[in-house]
Amino acid sequence: MGLTKQYLAYKPVSSFNIIASARANISFVTISNAVGRYVVVAAAEKVLVWDLRVGEKVAEFIRDKQEVTFLRTSPDHKHLAVGYSDGVVELFSVETKQSVCSFASHRSAVSGLNFDLLGLKLVSGGLDNDLVVSDVVAQSGKCRLTGHTAPITQCCFMQRFQDVVVSSSKDTQIKFWNIETQCCFKTIVDHRTEVWGIALMRNDDFLVCATADTQLSVYKITSTMDAILPIVAASEQSEGESTVSPFRCTPAGSIQRAGHGRTINLVTDSNGQVLGCHGTDKKIELFYFCSQEESMNKLTKRMKKLNTSKVSAEEAAIRQLSLTDEIKRLTTIPTPEKVKSFDLLLGSRNELRICCTFLKNLVQLFSLDLNVKKDAEPETLYALQKQGHPSEARTVAFSSDSLAIASGSAESLKLWSRASQTVLRTVETGGYVVSTCFVPGDRHVLVGLKTGQLLVVDVVPGEVIECIEAHEKELWSIVLTPDKHGCVSGGGDTTVKFWSFELIVGSGGQDAAKVLSLLHKNTLKLEETVLSVRISQNGKYIAVALLDTTVKIFFMDSLKFYLSLYGHKLPVVTMDISYDSTLIITGSADRTIKIWGMDFGDCHRSLLAHDNTVTAVQFIPNTHMFFSCAKDGKLKQWDADSFQKIITLPGHLGEAHALAISPNGKYVVSCGSDRTLRLFHRTEEPLVLQDVQEEEREELENATLATGEESTVPGLPGLRLPSKKTIGSEKGAENILECLEVCKQYEEEGGKGPLPPLMFAYSATNTDDFLLTVLSRVRASDLEESLLLLPFNAVCELLERVPKLATERKDHTELICKVVLFLFRVHQKPIVNNQVLLPVIQKIVQTMQTALGELRDMVGTNFHAAQMLQRELEENDGCVLFRDATKQRIQRDRRRKRREASKRKFLQIVK
């Protein structure tokens, strides 16, 4: 067998430039007991934690390559729930930054998340019109609530009424759900337009709804009883009120917003006292919901102004408490840009903190003092904006030492450290950057603008030292000459211009330091718009890509026509010439990359490389391998000699605009419409093409489920599990079937002899341990879907093993119960009709009751023992706390006396 060519693998290093994605929301997070200092935001497929005080990234939460669509922190600030565009909800630990569990809940993107009061349950809403309630402790889905006919916009738990979920949707309806019965018991259909948000205020006293108009609807929620009870007698209900609802929800009025356009977001603080909203304009409106006592005081004052007696005021308080008494408008916060999302935090000293994200990659923190009675001015505390481009980066370039990266966007040029991925310099260009190039020496950067201007930027001070009117239209391409003494630019005005580098005396006179300038030497006039220019390394040829889909090659010295490369169906957007000047590659809007010979202009191979326009191609220095990127977001490596694709790297979530390869060939950087710059580095890990192709095929096969998308059971057409079928559930079912088969064979052989290899791999010594190990290794959120895929004969085998498992392995009683109850619920009819299973069922009932009784006794004993230990610790701590408090008070009194004594020294008596 002949030797196969091996390649070195490129691996992702990091993605940077993005501060906060516009699609997902922002949320405050508490780290090391610091409240109001850290915020968590989405950054494409990552979740970032920013320290606003120092403006640094302190943590990252990473899953697979799916875009983050929603974030929510748990009430105890220990967990972070993250919803993704593929419908998965991942639960992370804030302390360890690792995933705790994963819920495959929805078939499309997650649009809303909320925890209950204790953080034990999680409700998620998706664009698939469903609500899913998940159990955080059991790490599995609890129920799926279906009824909305349009995507969910918001969902939350009620605090006063247990196991009640409220949801709003684009179908104009607000629904109240009971988790236990899994049904909707109340629907509000008052609105004519989409409901974009809901908020429960003041311990569920008010429900505020945001629609497409400029008003916020307010509903008063009053309990029909002190607690949730079953059906109430119809005589006790008001006319038209539902007999199963534990509360009445009546319209109380509306709040007129000052802003224009529809309401986009409704956000409340954790206690439900402050409500914030924003629309399509540049302001955040705040409303304060007064407590019952404050509302009564306001009403009493209002009644006194109307000259009513005290008695009548008290009577009116019961009847005429209006929204003006209960809701107070706070200072409106003006913002520099249109707000995408924000979060509120009300501190102990009545300081309100508002953190906002904007479309222009910006995070800003405002502070508002609620102790100031009138006209409190909002204060901007911190802002994160220098850590990334405000708009999409369109071009990237490496310095000659591979240590710096230059990226250009619609308004600025940024220089990044390749090692730390931090910003070194930001230069305002005053125009849209479409091309960049480092000057030899890496002291200057050439920047081409969409207006046709050519800027010379000095890196050290970060200033534009010269602006040259190079072209009349877009300056699409800048490339250095091989001798490094000049550059060539191509523009939309159908010209290619040749420039030489000159050092001229600065503005300070003869003694001033010399600065770099460009001297125009020659112009090549063409018939079509120039899209790209490249020069061969031997300095003989210059290739120009034109809008008429051809590439024309000229002699560099005389500018005489040499070759014309035609064959693309759409214009060539990008091209590059190999280091030995023998090959030229062209990437076009027709999705193909063509490899040509420079000697005769013959096309060696045409590759259908991408699913959309190819935006950049570049050779790896000193090789015939090259990288390409396109508007399909993918980044691919190719071999121009064998015409094979080497590997596809994890690309951008949207379009990929440009890429650059470092001069040493070790690093690749790309930019895209998801506002990220992605850096890759070459490892020492060898890559074999056959292995890579096999992995890609497996990945493609795994993307499609072998058993279909729907989870169905004969005789149960309305099966609505709180999970969806995934690759993990299919693999779990395969493992269970394989385990049952191995156990059966091993027992038929008498259970003697060497252990089967699979049992040995699981470190199991008998079949019972083997089965329990396999069941416990199936992810909790996938267990039900895996059991659903089992055929009925496998279900019978599994049930026959349960009595022995329940007797001998009481440490797994909870798992065994979960499996048995689900199988009985799903396969009830065939199990009941099977007479052979009757003695098995009787054994299961006896053994499971005994095991559950023992488990309940153990939990009760441990619970009460822990309570006793807690009481003893509190008693001991109480004495210690009392002594500490006494010492602190003595020290405080001493400091106060010292301050008073120092003040007396500077007192002056004026007669």
Side-chain angles (χ1 to χ4, degrees), residues 27-43:
S27 179
F28 281 102
V29 64
T30 302
I31 297 177
S32 304
N33 296 324
V35 182
R37 177 176 173 178
Y38 300 95
V39 292
V40 59
V41 296

Side-chain angles (χ1 to χ4, degrees), residues 86 214 259 267 308 315 398 449 492 510 553 582 647 710 728 771 806-807 866 900:
D86 60 346
T214 58
V267 179
T308 53
E315 291 175 356
F398 262 106
L449 302 184
Q510 294 293 330
I553 302 176
T582 58
I647 194 171
E710 295 298 322
L771 180 59
T807 307
E900 289 175 356

Side-chain angles (χ1 to χ4, degrees), residues 10 60 64 161 206 241 328 428 459 486 560 611 856:
Y10 281 81
E60 280 185 0
D64 294 336
F161 306 98
F206 294 98
E241 190 73 26
K328 181 171 67 174
E428 297 298 327
V459 170
K560 285 185 179 180
D611 299 330
R856 195 183 295 114

Side-chain angles (χ1 to χ4, degrees), residues 111-122:
S111 57
L113 283 171
N114 244 315
F115 286 91
D116 67 346
L117 187 61
L118 298 175
L120 303 179
K121 297 190 194 77
L122 176 69

Side-chain angles (χ1 to χ4, degrees), residues 394-435:
R394 305 294 302 197
T395 174
V396 284
F398 262 106
S399 61
S400 62
D401 56 6
S402 306
L403 294 178
I405 300 169
S407 62
S409 66
E411 60 286 301
S412 63
L413 175 82
K414 284 188 182 288
L415 294 165
W416 306 82
S417 166
R418 190 260 306 154
S420 62
Q421 294 95 47
T422 54
V423 179
L424 302 175
R425 296 283 187 278
T426 301
V427 184
E428 297 298 327
T429 57
Y432 201 110
V433 180
V434 291
S435 55

